Amino acid sequence: MIFFVGSVLFLSNATEVLAIWLFIVGSFGMMLGAIGQAVYIHERHRLNGAPGARDRTPSRS
């Protein structure tokens, strides 16, 4: 939503500075979201093992 509003504000020279700041804030928010998701995935793999790791152990039959 922040990027959309920033894009619309770029249409006017009077609101260009606000548009730039909205893009900076939106980019920072996306970066925080990506870092949070990476930490979540890392911790999930650390606690539960990597996907498919349980399938590699040979079964005793």
Side-chain angles (χ1 to χ4, degrees):
M1 188 68 172
I2 291 175
F3 286 117
F4 176 74
V5 173
S7 297
V8 172
L9 292 178
F10 265 116
L11 297 175
S12 172
N13 288 337
T15 57
E16 192 171 286
V17 173
L18 179 59
I20 291 169
W21 279 108
L22 286 176
F23 268 82
I24 291 171
V25 169
S27 298
F28 185 72
M30 287 183 68
M31 182 182 68
L32 286 180
I35 290 170
Q37 184 177 11
V39 168
Y40 170 77
I41 290 171
H42 173 74
E43 287 298 310
R44 188 180 68 200
H45 288 178
R46 186 178 67 83
L47 295 173
N48 299 333
R54 295 179 187 156
D55 297 337
R56 292 185 207 158
T57 58
S59 62
R60 297 181 184 193
S61 49

